Amino acid sequence: MGNSFQVQDRFADGAQYIGGRLRPGTSGRSHDVVNPATGKTVHTYELAGTADVDAAVAAAREAFPGWSGATPAERSETMHRFASVLARQADDFAYAESLQCGKPVKLSTEFDVPGTVDNASFFAGAARHLEGKSAAEYDGDHTSYVRREAIGVIGSIAPWNYPLQMAAWKILPAVAAGNTIVLKPAEITPLTSLMFAQAATEAGIPDGVINIVNGAGKDAGEHLVGHPDVVMTSFTGSTAVGKRVAEIATSTVKRLHLELGGKAPFVVFDDADLEAAVNGAVAGSLINTGQDCTAATRAYVQRPLYDAFVQGVAELMETVRVGDPFAPDTDLGPLISHAQRDRVAGFVERARAYATVVTGGEAPGGELADGAYYRPTLIAGAAQDSEIVQAEIFGPVLVVLPFDTDDEGIELANDTPYGLAASAWTRDLYRANRATREIKAGCVWVNDHIPIISEMPHGGYKASGFGKDMSSYSFEEYTQVKHVMYDNTAVARKDWHRTIFGDR
């Protein structure tokens, strides 16, 4: 894929998008966007400071009355145009996403970009369906109904693993519901979030409705979360940082949505289709080089299938083609950075003391030596309470453990602090139903692992956070429910008044 624009030219005016235009940051510090496949800088920009956050929030606050006051049909029409603009620019988005993240272009072309366009189309339609409870006379003397209202300026923070999709997940439900937003992407992956906001302006979404500030978490991020004019924060990222976001948000009594870490179990019962499970485990553990909070990370395999599963996964992992993200036949690109690659390698090296590295466990050399690459890795023989089983690694590493009884398999699946996603592999309807009931996760797939759709909610249990992205359920995060009650009696002196003054 050839690039249809030059990054430095595209963002020459700055990497902050405030009030419908690009502008430079005012922190006095610059930041390099690095292509992790080569280690080379592709763009340098000025980071946002607190003054930029203030300006973005002010722009969002100014735009709120007009946007929230538009009819659902008007918002919907504009968002449909937005989806069309995104679709027309699909190649540019795919190129920029692969450039800044290192993800294979076939993933950005076939997963990230079309998923984002579909999200935009879904929320364009959903904007016309902000429903409340229908009117009724619940006590006989009054008519009650429920209004859903936009809540104001949203301040959201998105991670680096899916910059484009995470921008969409944060922005689209918020603006569909009539809110305005300031989004802080990860400062290492700013490009497609800026392009997303530019596309919104091109589609006719008013200036100030969508604003982007690219700055460091300690400065821009914490200032955004704590800003007095921000009424709600949505954060996706690690559980550790999520705790800090929660501290700041709750100190200012903000509404809060957290989508945090994961350690997804992949439970294979002894009646499963072994070939399907092996294929699903490799795909589910290696998507986005394993940098996915729903990625399969812990495979629990009932003992009759365990040895064949380990052999099958190892053999298939060894066929995965690691290489240049822009080569059409590349299966696995680099990790997001050399620091992340080294972090993943550290987990694997420590695991060698108590487990077996069946395949992988190394960074490739040769022509890939300058990139943040790490080979697909399968680990066996680890104990359930070991670091490699319990900690979120966020890399192309799958650990596999055996189990004997169904009770044990489900118990092991639930035995981490996390609860974002899981999968169960079986041909038995009753086993499948039990697994979906008893595994504590926000999504449980049966005989697959990873697919997501705009119509269904995404969010976790336990330390994986609370609240939902995507689907109409996300409007619960971005709307205020108001009860309106009308008196129907036209009686001046109500019977209940006697409890305050006078007699019946």
Side-chain angles (χ1 to χ4, degrees):
M1 172 182 288
N3 57 323
S4 57
F5 64 89
Q6 295 296 320
V7 174
Q8 295 285 13
D9 293 340
R10 177 72 177 256
F11 304 114
D13 293 331
Q16 317 303 325
Y17 198 77
I18 300 172
R21 67 180 183 88
L22 289 169
R23 50 191 272 183
T26 61
S27 70
R29 293 180 291 117
S30 63
H31 187 80
D32 293 334
V33 180
V34 175
N35 178 353
T38 63
K40 295 180 179 178
T41 296
V42 298
H43 184 55
T44 301
Y45 69 95
E46 298 298 316
L47 287 164
T50 57
D52 304 302
V53 173
D54 291 341
V57 172
R61 186 178 181 185
E62 182 179 355
F64 177 73
W67 184 247
S68 63
T71 67
E74 290 168 337
R75 287 199 296 270
S76 176
E77 181 181 357
T78 306
M79 292 183 71
H80 276 299
R81 291 199 300 270
F82 185 21
S84 295
V85 173
L86 293 172
R88 288 200 305 271
Q89 298 178 5
D91 286 348
D92 284 354
F93 276 104
Y95 171 79
E97 193 77 337
S98 289
L99 185 68
Q100 67 182 353
C101 298
K103 62 182 63 188
V105 73
K106 68 177 182 178
L107 181 67
S108 58
T109 300
E110 299 178 27
F111 184 77
D112 297 72
V113 175
T116 300
V117 174
D118 186 71
N119 273 191
S121 296
F122 171 81
F123 280 108
R128 302 185 73 157
H129 296 281
L130 289 168
E131 297 177 348
K133 187 175 288 188
S134 59
E137 289 68 49
Y138 292 97
D139 71 351
D141 291 337
H142 301 82
T143 297
S144 289
Y145 71 90
V146 169
R147 289 176 55 88
R148 279 194 183 273
E149 298 179 350
I151 58 177
V153 177
I154 313 300
S156 293
I157 300 176
W160 47 255
N161 57 334
Y162 291 103
L164 177 59
Q165 289 203 80
M166 293 299 99
W169 287 18
K170 299 304 180 196
I171 290 170
L172 292 169
V175 301
N179 302 288
T180 56
I181 190 167
V182 179
L183 175 71
K184 193 202 88 65
E187 62 268 32
I188 62 175
T189 53
L191 304 182
T192 48
S193 299
L194 292 168
M195 294 166 62
F196 191 79
Q198 289 176 312
T201 298
E202 184 176 336
I205 292 178
D207 293 349
V209 172
I210 298 172
N211 306 274
I212 308 292
V213 290
N214 282 296
K218 286 290 185 181
D219 302 323
E222 293 197 1
H223 190 64
L224 177 62
V225 174
H227 199 288
D229 290 333
V230 169
V231 299
M232 181 238 176
T233 289
S234 177
F235 170 80
T236 296
S238 71
T239 298
V241 177
K243 291 177 180 178
R244 176 59 180 158
V245 170
E247 289 173 0
I248 299 170
T250 53
S251 70
T252 53
V253 198
K254 284 179 173 51
R255 188 179 292 200
L256 183 62
H257 165 220
L258 298 175
E259 198 265 89
L260 306 176
K263 189 72 177 176
F266 186 101
V267 184
V268 183
F269 294 97
D270 58 15
D271 69 322
D273 181 327
L274 179 62
E275 182 183 8
V278 165
N279 285 318
V282 173
S285 64
L286 298 185
I287 186 171
N288 203 32
T289 318
Q291 298 167 126
D292 186 312
C293 49
T294 64
T297 60
R298 299 178 290 138
Y300 296 104
V301 184
Q302 208 152 23
R303 207 170 294 273
L305 294 185
Y306 178 79
D307 289 340
F309 179 88
V310 171
Q311 180 181 349
V313 169
E315 290 175 353
L316 186 55
M317 278 187 169
E318 288 166 5
T319 71
V320 171
R321 297 164 295 186
V322 181
D324 176 7
F326 290 101
D329 59 351
T330 291
D331 299 318
L332 195 79
L335 290 145
I336 190 66
S337 66
H338 287 81
Q340 179 65 12
R341 192 269 311 277
D342 294 344
R343 178 179 179 275
V344 170
F347 278 105
V348 175
E349 291 308 305
R350 291 189 295 274
R352 292 183 190 276
Y354 55 80
T356 300
V357 177
V358 180
T359 190
E362 63 181 4
E367 62 184 13
L368 301 181
D370 291 336
Y373 291 93
Y374 199 75
R375 293 198 185 281
T377 300
L378 179 65
I379 293 175
Q384 173 66 14
D385 62 356
S386 62
E387 179 191 52
I388 203 76
V389 175
Q390 293 291 326
E392 186 175 32
I393 299 170
F394 231 55
V397 179
L398 176 66
V399 58
V400 57
L401 297 87
F403 70 92
D404 291 303
T405 67
D406 289 15
D407 289 349
E408 183 188 8
I410 291 174
E411 181 182 356
L412 291 169
N414 286 328
D415 184 29
T416 69
Y418 301 107
L420 186 59
S423 62
W425 297 74
T426 177
R427 293 181 173 97
D428 187 310
L429 176 63
Y430 296 98
R431 270 178 160 168
N433 281 340
R434 181 187 179 190
T436 60
R437 287 194 312 271
E438 296 186 13
I439 294 176
K440 303 304 181 186
C443 174
V444 181
W445 293 284
V446 177
N447 296 326
D448 209 343
H449 195 108
I450 285 298
I452 54 174
I453 50 176
S454 299
E455 292 84 356
M456 289 292 113
H458 177 85
Y461 284 35
K462 302 188 292 186
S464 291
F466 48 82
K468 300 300 179 185
D469 286 310
M470 298 196 298
S471 83
S472 60
Y473 290 97
S474 65
F475 287 136
E476 301 298 326
E477 319 301 329
Y478 296 103
T479 56
Q480 183 66 263
V481 172
K482 177 186 288 185
H483 171 215
V484 178
M485 177 179 272
Y486 287 90
D487 171 60
N488 293 328
T489 66
V491 174
R493 179 71 180 268
K494 315 293 187 190
D495 184 57
W496 71 268
H497 290 177
R498 67 185 175 81
T499 63
I500 312 303
F501 59 90
D503 301 317
R504 185 184 294 274

